[in-house]
């Protein structure tokens, strides 16, 4: 009898403990999702003794109003543009000719040579809405498909190719599945998701 | 309890993703390093405005930005001219960094990884 109640108490305590742990995990995950933008004076980068800091906008004020994300600035910038939450100018001078994706070009590029990871469907259109063609072509990438040399994850992690922006200002390279998002079709069957 | 405290502890202080520190010349010239907030600018301007029209190269460290250029309307000076944004006389609004910062892109997962960022 005594033994059983001791066990029951132990089970109860374990359940209680796991509930507390689950709550703690939920709270910290929630905090991360809800955005954890540091005020400028507390970000470890800005000099808090600079009195002019009070005239600058803090990230939370602007970024909390934009579509959320779980990486980078915790803002989904592509969605922010698509949904009209931001309306950035495309040029300063009226006469600047801005190059955009040719309407004849397909909006996506499928990259199949990705070893055992899922293939990469590169959304060309979304990139060209932020960038000029010359930002990537012909410097980082050749325009003709299949002619860019050295395009691999090693170089990307060194800040070349996609890594010029992804990991610095666009979502980081730890988000593997956002790029490796296209299941490879398997012979004689439906696409197998990896 | 230790795990619990770890989970509930405030996150360590960190810069915003994409912040760029310019300190090639700043401290040598006796001013604080510059902190450029990408997040603030990209709400208002597409990447292509600065990286195509203004001519900022897309790698931190590749651009040599001098105050004399800015005052002449190049680089930051294309907008920071008292017309679009504050002018070059508002030193403390751009030169906001702590002393001793190293130049480069700061913040985010990238800085802890194998990449040169």
């Amino acid at each position: 009898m005594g033994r059983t109640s001791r066990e029951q108490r132990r089970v109860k305590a374990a359940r209680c403990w796991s509930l507390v742990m689950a709550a703690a995990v939920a709270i910290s995950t929630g905090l991360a999702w809800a955005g954890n933008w540091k005020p400028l004076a507390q970000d470890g980068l800005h000099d808090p003794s600079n009195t002019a800091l009070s005239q600058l906008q803090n990230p939370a004020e602007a970024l909390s109003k934009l579509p959320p994300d779980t990486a980078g600035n915790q803002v989904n910038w592509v969605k922010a543009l698509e949904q009209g939450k931001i309306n950035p100018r495309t040029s300063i001078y009226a006469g600047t000719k801005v190059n955009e994706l040719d309407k004849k070009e397909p909006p996506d590029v499928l990259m199949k040579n990705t070893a055992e990871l899922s293939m990469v469907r590169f959304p060309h259109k979304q990139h060209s809405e932020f960038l000029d063609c010359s930002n990537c072509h012909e410097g980082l990438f050749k325009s003709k498909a299949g002619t860019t040399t050295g395009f691999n994850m090693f170089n990307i992690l060194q800040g070349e190719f996609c890594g010029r922006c992804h990991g610095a200002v666009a979502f980081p390279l730890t988000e593997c599945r956002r790029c490796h998002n296209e299941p490879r079709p398997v012979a004689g069957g439906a696409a197998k998701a990896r | 309890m230790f795990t619990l405290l770890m989970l509930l502890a405030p996150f360590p202080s960190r810069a915003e993703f994409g912040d760029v520190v310019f300190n090639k010349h700043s401290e040598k010239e006796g001013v604080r390093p510059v902190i450029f907030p990408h997040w603030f600018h990209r709400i208002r301007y597409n990447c292509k405005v600065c990286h195509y029209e203004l001519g900022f190269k897309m790698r931190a460290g590749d651009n040599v930005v001098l105050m004399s250029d800015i005052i002449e309307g190049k680089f930051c000076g294309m907008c920071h001219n008292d017309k679009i944004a504050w002018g070059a006389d508002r030193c403390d609004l751009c030169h906001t960094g702590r002393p001793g910062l190293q130049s480069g892109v700061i913040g985010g997962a990238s800085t802890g990884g194998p990449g040169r960022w």
Side-chain angles (χ1 to χ4, degrees), chain A residues 47 73 92 96 157 160 163 167, chain B residues 16 44 53 59 96 110 115 117:
Chain A
D47 187 347
N73 295 119
I92 298 290
T96 302
L157 285 161
E160 298 298 326
Chain B
E16 191 48 53
R44 293 153 180 87
E53 204 179 16
R59 181 191 281 290
T96 52
S110 54
W117 300 115

Side-chain angles (χ1 to χ4, degrees), chain B residues 10-117:
Chain B
F11 289 89
S13 137
R14 59 169 174 74
E16 191 48 53
F17 190 71
D19 280 352
V20 185
V21 173
F22 290 78
N23 199 10
K24 224 181 255 180
H25 310 287
S26 302
E27 281 196 274
K28 277 186 222 154
E29 302 288 342
V31 282
R32 292 185 181 94
V34 171
I35 296 172
F36 170 81
H38 257 110
W39 63 268
F40 180 93
H41 288 82
R42 66 184 299 182
I43 290 171
R44 293 153 180 87
Y45 300 94
N46 263 341
C47 316
K48 59 184 106 183
V49 172
C50 302
H51 291 293
Y52 169 65
E53 204 179 16
L54 266 74
F56 271 107
K57 289 177 188 159
M58 287 164 69
R59 181 191 281 290
D62 277 3
N63 301 287
V64 179
V65 184
L66 298 175
M67 279 314 298
S68 50
D69 290 330
I70 294 171
I71 291 163
E72 281 171 20
K74 291 178 195 156
F75 297 117
C76 321
M78 192 150 149
C79 295
H80 284 278
N81 53 9
D82 276 329
K83 290 181 190 129
I84 297 176
W86 64 71
D89 56 331
R90 307 293 306 279
C91 318
D92 279 352
L93 291 176
C94 300
H95 290 272
T96 52
R98 285 169 184 263
L101 290 175
Q102 283 203 328
S103 299
V105 183
I106 318 287
S110 54
T111 48
R116 73 171 60 147
W117 300 115

Side-chain angles (χ1 to χ4, degrees), chain A residues 47-58:
Chain A
D47 187 347
S49 72
N50 179 0
T51 49
L53 279 193
S54 62
Q55 294 177 53
L56 300 176
Q57 190 179 34
N58 279 312

Side-chain angles (χ1 to χ4, degrees), chain A residues 71-83:
Chain A
N73 295 119
Q74 295 156 57
V75 168
N76 188 323
W77 291 103
V78 169
K79 263 195 196 156
L81 191 65
E82 276 173 4
Q83 296 174 0

Side-chain angles (χ1 to χ4, degrees), chain A residues 138-161:
Chain A
E138 302 289 325
L140 287 170
F141 292 96
K142 302 274 178 244
S143 291
K144 189 170 159 39
T147 60
T148 303
T149 52
F151 180 29
N152 54 48
M153 279 314 297
F154 180 81
N155 285 330
I156 293 170
L157 285 161
Q158 295 296 309
E160 298 298 326
F161 304 110

Side-chain angles (χ1 to χ4, degrees), chain A residues 21-82:
Chain A
M21 289 301 287
V25 169
I27 289 167
S28 28
T29 318
L31 279 176
W33 280 344
N36 185 36
W37 303 282
K38 289 278 173 199
L40 298 181
Q42 295 165 26
D43 67 358
L45 202 63
H46 291 82
D47 187 347
S49 72
N50 179 0
T51 49
L53 279 193
S54 62
Q55 294 177 53
L56 300 176
Q57 190 179 34
N58 279 312
E61 190 194 345
L63 303 184
S64 61
K65 296 177 185 125
L66 301 178
D69 202 339
T70 53
N73 295 119
Q74 295 156 57
V75 168
N76 188 323
W77 291 103
V78 169
K79 263 195 196 156
L81 191 65
E82 276 173 4

